Amino acid sequence: MGKHTRFLPFTLLAAVFALTFSCKEDKLAQDFTSGQADSLIFEAGVQKDYEHMVSLVDSLERVGSISVMNADRWRGTAYYRQGQYRSAEFYYKKVMDGAIETTQDSLAYVKSARRLSELLLIKGDYEGSLRVAMPAVQKLQESGYGSDIDYAILLNNIGCCQLYLGYDEEAKESFATARGHYKNRWQTDSTSRGYQEAVLGTVYTSQAYINTRHFAEAAQWIDRTDSLLTLYHEMPDARLEYSDEYRGRVYIMKAVALQGLGNLADAAKAYQSFQATDFSKTSSALIYANDYLMAAGRYKEAADNYQNLDKMLAEHGMRESLDIIQLFLLPKFRANAWALRRDSAVAVGMHLCDALDSAIVKNKSNDAAELATIYETQQKEAQIAMQQANMARQRMFSSLVALALVIISFSIIIFFRIRAAKRLKNAHRQLEEAHEKLQVAYDQLEETTAAKERIESELRIARDIQMSMVPQHAPERQGLDLHASMITAKEVGGDLYGYLLEGDSLYFCIGDVSGKGVPASLFMAQATRLFRTMASQHMMPAEIATRMNAALTENNEQGMFVTMFMGLLNLKTGKLNFCNAGHNPPLVMDSPLSAVTARNYPFRYLEMEPNAPIGLWPELEFVGEEIEDLKGRPMVFYTDGLTEAENKQQEQFGEERLQDLLCHNVLTSARDVDAFLKKEVEKFRDGAEINDDMTLLCMLIE
């Protein structure tokens, strides 16, 4: 999004935001319940707009709509989904240290405990994971708060940690209790989701037993996973591709377990069953199958499968890192070496050295970047984050020593170590220089961060307040189907819409202010207020436009203006009185829907008087018009952000495309029209940046 703030001095910005806060902050706090606030944040996460997600958290915490613990929980979630696990762990631990005072805090505690125990389990900190998960389960039991899935996931994490630490009996009990909660979940859920969650839980349990070489126990849990998949497959909403994928994974785990138990023939049969699944043809499955092939000594087949490794990493957006080296590149090297493919082993070894070198530099750079983020947002707690980073580096270097020992054991790549050592030395030198530069940047940021954060926070609040100035819900009336929505190109925008229902009279408008950003938003606020004030006085649309023009041209030294379409609709007779002030022509159906017999719908652009936009010239008299009967004839109003939306080739969406879409698609409600057009525009943009505000207003009376 753009960052232009032309035509408005900084001092005026500060004054406007200060006035906005004093008038609106209390109202904002009252307008959102905690549940509504969580829904807003969750929706931003669904859209993967994590920057907006964090902005919402900041704004809602400021006005007291969410608690401090819940705010930290959502921040941790945003960082977790972006792969910034250190930052996520930082915020989840803040939640763990907080004092639970409300139901909202309890929910935040449970969700954070689930995710944090999982993070610590994955990185091998089993004691740390237990210190999080076990108190969480105890609090759930004492308070009676929490769902079966909360219990199940926490207990499953506890069981995995206990198993890895050698507490086999305790792990067995934890897994059994977790299974009971999974069962309660699927028995009370009418959808397939309960079975799907249980399948994931038993897969994790089976894999933990395989990793610790408890093959007999693994076989029992694999059979339970198989039974759950059968129940899942029988559900009406089950997905065949999911069932096929996890059936394939079950066959591979079964093959590994049987191989470990010495039942080689049945292990081979399980592998053959895996090969009969559709999942087995994917690059991910070929790599996953190597768990069995390597255990069975079928190194040549494993080496062949590893030829798909680059494709698999690309499909999942995975880049080479220390984890990728350990999980995939080292096994690939072993497969080629043990298959006696010397040339391939040497090539993989060279790649391994280069990847190790790059991963070290990248891992440290990522550490520095995440530390900078934590420093900017939580300066008082930066020292704690630095200590955590130092511990992480120590663990990283320990892993590197282990990796180096494995590589040294294979003499065919010894001479490559010398080159890797030189590059590592250069990387350390570059990292030291980067740290020095970062320290200088920190010193400079201390002087500017406070002002920058205040301005950004005020812009986020301004956006939320501006969105509160347009109606969030259409008036409910028998026979009236009305829906409107607005998407801004910047933090704040200049589009507007509104409606006012009094008796049988519906006033409505849609408009587009010249320019974008803060100046446009202020002009939009004036126009919105004037329209509602004059509509409430029962004026005709042309008179409203004339009076608004007189008010907005006064002291308009910056020459701003607004195009508007405003109408007065009689819901009994269907008569529409309207005035168009330089706005885009709306689309209207020529005949009622009930009279249309073919699949083509006769939408056309409405021909109107060429009135000027509002705000340009004083003393204009605007001309009004009317349509005698609109009953059964849908109308679609929009701003030019729709028709002038551009793709990456800078081609525009266009009026002809808009008309063609409406004429050839069956849309049963105003909300469906809105959703359909926004989806088509997004598809047309194909990832291009939004270049203008876009507003839609769709209407039909029966």
Side-chain angles (χ1 to χ4, degrees), residues 287 380 392 591:
I287 304 303
K380 294 181 180 179
S591 55

Side-chain angles (χ1 to χ4, degrees), residues 474-481 501-505 570-572:
E476 296 183 3
R477 165 104 178 206
Q478 182 70 27
L480 172 64
D481 186 7
L501 178 63
E502 293 193 354
D504 295 326
S505 297
N570 188 309
L571 300 179
K572 263 191 175 181

Side-chain angles (χ1 to χ4, degrees), residues 494-553:
D495 277 9
L496 62 96
Y497 68 87
Y499 23 75
L500 179 66
L501 178 63
E502 293 193 354
D504 295 326
S505 297
L506 173 67
Y507 284 90
F508 66 92
C509 72
I510 184 171
D512 183 2
V513 176
S514 59
K516 303 180 184 70
V518 174
S521 71
L522 296 175
F523 204 79
M524 167 265 193
Q526 287 182 287
T528 302
R529 176 181 56 80
L530 288 169
F531 172 78
R532 291 186 62 86
T533 299
M534 295 177 187
S536 64
Q537 297 175 19
H538 308 292
M539 298 180 185
M540 297 299 286
E543 185 180 358
I544 294 175
T546 300
R547 294 200 179 193
M548 285 181 64
N549 183 70
L552 293 175
T553 52

Side-chain angles (χ1 to χ4, degrees), residues 11 171 218 238 241 288 311 336 410 447 476 530 609:
T11 52
E241 63 274 15
Y288 184 63
K311 180 181 178 182
N336 282 279
F410 298 96
E447 300 176 1
E476 296 183 3
L530 288 169
E609 286 287 339

